């Protein structure tokens, strides 16, 4: 990789291109949507709270629209996908929860795996036939603490749930999803690619939503002392959404331990590179969501 320090001012002209950004009303999603719109893109803010989405869109300006999407509800995901009647160049799976207490989604999934992985899994596959260029899924350095519980993905046993390992599982699932999605796209002869990105340690409102006052306070201090800005944290997503990259690339900050810096290609651990686990997780995700990969394999 070049030593050049890429920034949002390096975005190409995005006139005529459409981007769907989940969780675009705040944090990294808002910055991502703002910069894409600033460069001329048409941006769909896919958000759970449309009133907040409208305020975000007004602050962004440019070509934006707000659409309701609750990633913790499969019926909402299907309704959103059914309402997309034109081509989407890039889907950015940005929305997520971090280290929240144990709970379940409307469909009975553990909330973090249900929102961060299964919701985006369903959304991507429901939109895939209308996506023209790429899918970018936001993971985290926390994937390194994750382990995919193929025998109990949703912590149904209930006796061993812990917020951070559950978060790590969901972020590891994001990378395995990207790996298998890229493999399936290539097998189908599709021009679409799958990429992943992570923001490093970026100061966002994600850190004050753990529902643990002590943990929120500690992370608030970390945001002020250690974290980079949300604008810097959004750069890997913007880079992955607009630059020419090898399939299944993972983009993160170039600084110490990938905590801060400018976007570059980064590595992943062995668990995140396990193609067999990626395939098994994909099959399980299809079974849980009822949503399947829509493209047939290409024939010679």
């Amino acid at each position: 990789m070049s030593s050049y320090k890429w920034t949002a001012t390096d975005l190409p002209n995005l006139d005529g291109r459409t981007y769907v950004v989940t969780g675009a009303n705040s944090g990294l999603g808002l910055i991502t949507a703002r910069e894409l719109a600033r460069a001329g893109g048409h941006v769909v803010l896919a958000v759970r709270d449309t009133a907040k989405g409208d305020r975000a869109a007004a602050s962004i300006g440019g070509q934006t629209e707000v659409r309701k999407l609750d990633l913790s509800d499969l019926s909402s995901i299907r309704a959103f996908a059914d309402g997309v009647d034109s081509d989407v160049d890039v889907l950015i799976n940005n929305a997520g929860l971090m280290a929240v207490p144990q709970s379940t989604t409307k469909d009975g999934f553990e909330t973090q795996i249900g929102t961060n992985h299964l919701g985006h899994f369903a959304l991507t596959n429901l939109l895939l036939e209308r996506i023209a260029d790429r899918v970018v899924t936001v993971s985290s350095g926390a994937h390194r603490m994750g382990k995919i519980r193929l025998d109990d993905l949703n912590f149904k046993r209930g006796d061993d749930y812990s917020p951070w390992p559950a978060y790590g599982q969901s972020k590891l699932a994001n990378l395995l999803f990207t790996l298998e999605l890229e493999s399936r796209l290539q097998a189908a002869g599709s021009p679409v690619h799958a990429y992943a990105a992570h923001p490093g340690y970026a100061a966002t409102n994600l850190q004050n939503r753990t529902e643990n006052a002590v943990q929120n306070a500690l992370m608030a201090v970390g945001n002020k002392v250690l974290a980079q800005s949300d604008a810097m944290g959004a750069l890997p997503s913007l880079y992955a959404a607009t630059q020419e990259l090898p399939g299944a690339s993972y983009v993160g900050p170039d600084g110490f331990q990938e905590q801060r810096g400018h976007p570059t290609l980064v590595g992943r651990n062995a668990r995140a590179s396990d193609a067999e686990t990626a395939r098994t997780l994909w099959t399980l995700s299809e079974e849980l969501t009822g949503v399947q990969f829509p493209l047939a394999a290409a024939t010679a």
Side-chain angles (χ1 to χ4, degrees), residues 13-29:
N13 186 314
L14 303 179
D15 287 352
R17 292 175 66 81
T18 297
Y19 298 80
V20 172
V21 183
T22 68
N25 62 284
S26 64
L28 299 177

Side-chain angles (χ1 to χ4, degrees), residues 125 128-130 184-185 187-192 292-298:
N125 282 291
L128 199 53
E129 291 179 300
R130 278 158 282 180
R184 287 173 177 255
L185 288 167
S190 172
V192 177
Q292 296 184 328
F293 183 72
L295 307 181

Side-chain angles (χ1 to χ4, degrees), residues 5-73:
K5 301 297 185 181
W6 192 91
T7 73
T9 61
D10 295 308
L11 283 167
N13 186 314
L14 303 179
D15 287 352
R17 292 175 66 81
T18 297
Y19 298 80
V20 172
V21 183
T22 68
N25 62 284
S26 64
L28 299 177
L30 175 59
I31 302 298
T32 301
R34 183 190 73 194
E35 293 304 318
L36 293 171
R38 181 189 60 77
H42 174 78
V43 184
V44 179
L45 285 73
V47 299
R48 185 170 56 180
D49 186 328
T50 54
K52 291 182 179 178
D54 288 339
R55 290 193 292 271
S59 75
I60 291 170
Q63 301 177 61
T64 59
E65 64 176 291
V66 177
R67 294 276 314 282
K68 183 174 179 58
L69 172 67
D70 183 349
L71 286 161
S72 68
D73 181 352

Side-chain angles (χ1 to χ4, degrees), residues 73-291:
D73 181 352
L74 287 172
S75 65
S76 175
I77 296 168
R78 289 184 180 277
F80 178 90
D82 288 344
V84 177
D85 55 8
S86 59
D87 284 348
V88 172
D89 291 284
V90 180
L91 168 63
I92 302 179
N93 292 323
N94 163 82
L97 300 170
M98 184 176 74
V100 297
Q102 186 170 17
S103 60
T104 58
T105 69
K106 181 178 179 180
D107 302 287
F109 307 141
E110 184 276 314
T111 298
Q112 294 191 83
I113 195 74
T115 302
N116 297 355
H117 167 62
L118 292 171
H120 282 128
F121 175 92
L123 176 67
T124 300
N125 282 291
L126 289 169
L127 288 180
L128 199 53
E129 291 179 300
R130 278 158 282 180
I131 295 174
D133 184 3
R134 67 187 71 187
V135 176
V136 177
T137 300
V138 179
S139 182
S140 166
H143 83 269
R144 299 180 186 279
M145 73 170 72
K147 182 178 180 181
I148 301 295
R149 299 160 51 96
L150 293 172
D151 62 337
D152 188 26
L153 193 71
N154 287 295
F155 293 87
K156 293 293 188 182
R157 291 195 294 265
D159 58 352
D160 56 355
Y161 179 86
S162 183
W164 281 105
Y167 177 66
Q169 175 184 235
S170 73
K171 295 289 98 179
L172 174 56
N174 291 153
L175 285 174
L176 292 171
F177 164 69
T178 298
L179 190 67
E180 179 64 11
L181 177 58
E182 176 67 21
S183 176
R184 287 173 177 255
L185 288 167
Q186 295 312 297
S190 172
V192 177
H193 287 289
Y195 304 120
H198 83 85
Y201 187 1
T204 73
N205 58 358
L206 191 66
Q207 287 94 339
N208 62 17
R209 294 180 175 176
T210 68
E211 300 181 34
N212 181 307
V214 174
Q215 190 165 260
N216 287 352
L218 289 173
M219 287 194 287
V221 173
N223 279 357
K224 292 181 178 180
V225 176
L226 301 173
Q228 63 179 352
S229 68
D230 52 4
M232 288 296 294
L235 290 183
S237 293
L238 290 166
Y239 190 87
T242 60
Q243 303 302 296
E244 291 301 318
L245 301 167
S249 288
Y250 187 28
V251 182
D254 63 359
F256 179 67
Q257 294 186 339
E258 301 172 16
Q259 292 297 292
R260 56 195 301 136
H262 295 260
T264 189
L265 294 183
V266 296
R268 61 188 82 193
N269 68 3
R271 286 177 178 167
S273 305
D274 188 331
E276 182 176 352
T277 300
R279 287 190 295 270
T280 305
L281 175 63
W282 187 284
T283 300
L284 178 58
S285 300
E286 287 186 334
E287 293 171 354
L288 289 168
T289 63
V291 179

